[in-house]
Amino acid sequence: FASVLGCLAQLEQEMNVKELSFPITCGITNQRESIVAFQKSTGKAIGNAISWMDVRTFHLVEELKLDQLLLHKFESLTGLKASTFFSAFKIQWILENAKGTAEIIEKSDIAFATIDTWILWKLTKGSSFCTDPSNASRTFLYDLKNNNWSQELMQYFGINEGWLPEIRSKDFGRISEGFPFSNLPITALIGDQQASLIGHWGKEFIGKTKCTFGTGAFLLRSLNASSSETNPNALRTVIIPNQFAEEYPIVCAGSLIKWLQKSLNFFSETSDLNQLDFTPHHPENSVYFIPNLSGCLFPSWDPSARGSLHNLSLRTGKLEIIFAVFEAVAFCIKSALETENISVLSVDGGMCNNRHFCQLLANVCNASISKL
């Protein structure tokens, strides 16, 4: 939250220097599945947030999978796959493991929120406890058909509806006094990947596709009225009310580049990669990389999956391994596009700053790349 206030303060200062007119509205976007628990009376967080990549809930997911009928019902209700990825399992873990939650629950003082709700709660000094359908639909608690929290899912996870934010589509409150841009209306909450799809295509997003390469890679295809889910391993998620997307989440993308940089010390700055020759020196001795360093989301939804390097030889050096990592990400996207006939792929995110990767992606996917 301190970083949000810092950003707003810097923006307000720059606008004053440049004598720009006061903005008319504010929107909040966020990582979607990450969860924070806090006390409503104080706004104090109960421990650290649990991020979308965290896999400590593996045993809870496996427990649900033991009942295949219930698993199928819940996955149909939510449009999601039972996975450590989603918020409900993180809330279940907090309820079972976080110290002091029982006493706070007893006082009816606990709240569970994705990060959009946490920021909103803090910016409005506790007057708005809301989320929107794009974020709610990533929790494994949201009924896609009825557009609300599922009573059956809440009962299964041991969650009281009063602990969850109200689901709204507009009018989320105003920035409180004492903060930069005080009294500015907050008119939109939307998850980062859905926001990216709209950012790429604007009002014409229906039927369009985009892929964001951040920590993970997320390919979204907006569904039109005649669309149906073409890949049983993909997700169905809300973009805006009554408008859905098919989503293919790849858990590792930019995180692999950070791993090469920070853990393996293969290069100093990511900009150094633009200077490398990505043409393998010995094509007959190519290295192949399986990128599941944090488990696998699409297509196998297996948090126990792990990565590996193949075909190593005495000729293998840093360049070959770096190339193999970039190539692996490109082939993950190709696997997500196999059911689509796409001529242009619209992309954004940090990895797209590397021209070699964009060219590799174009070659592997046999599509032109449009960088936002």
Side-chain angles (χ1 to χ4, degrees), residues 223-241:
L223 302 174
N224 55 40
S226 60
S227 297
S228 61
E229 288 181 78
T230 54
N231 192 312
N233 293 314
L235 308 175
R236 182 174 286 246
T237 194
V238 177
I239 307 171
I240 57 175

Side-chain angles (χ1 to χ4, degrees), residues 2-18 180-181:
S3 69
V4 171
L5 290 184
C7 176
L8 290 174
Q10 182 179 349
L11 178 61
E12 187 176 56
Q13 183 180 15
E14 291 181 5
M15 291 182 69
N16 289 335
V17 169
K18 296 176 181 178
F181 302 107

Side-chain angles (χ1 to χ4, degrees), residues 39-102:
Q39 289 181 256
K40 286 183 178 179
S41 61
T42 65
K44 184 179 179 181
I46 304 168
N48 295 327
I50 303 180
S51 88
W52 64 272
M53 291 184 73
D54 195 297
V55 296
R56 75 184 73 181
T57 59
F58 174 75
H59 67 288
L60 298 173
V61 175
E62 293 305 301
E63 189 177 296
L64 173 57
K65 288 181 178 179
L66 292 174
D67 188 332
Q68 286 293 308
L69 287 176
L70 197 61
L71 174 69
H72 177 72
K73 183 177 185 179
F74 286 176
E75 290 185 341
S76 297
L77 269 174
T78 61
L80 307 176
K81 300 293 181 183
S83 168
T84 58
F85 191 25
F86 300 113
S87 313
F89 299 98
K90 305 177 195 301
I91 296 174
Q92 187 182 14
W93 188 93
I94 292 170
L95 289 171
E96 293 180 3
N97 294 276
K99 294 179 180 179
T101 53

Side-chain angles (χ1 to χ4, degrees), residues 186-197:
I186 301 168
T187 56
L189 304 182
I190 187 166
D192 55 359
Q193 302 307 327
Q194 294 94 321
S196 172
L197 179 66

Side-chain angles (χ1 to χ4, degrees), residues 314-331:
L314 292 175
R315 291 178 172 180
T316 303
K318 290 182 179 180
L319 179 60
E320 285 74 23
I321 294 174
I322 291 171
F323 179 83
V325 169
F326 276 92
E327 188 177 51
V329 176
F331 272 99

Side-chain angles (χ1 to χ4, degrees), residues 324-342:
V325 169
F326 276 92
E327 188 177 51
V329 176
F331 272 99
C332 285
I333 302 307
K334 177 180 172 64
S335 71
L337 288 171
E338 283 181 348
T339 57
E340 290 193 58
N341 182 18
I342 189 168

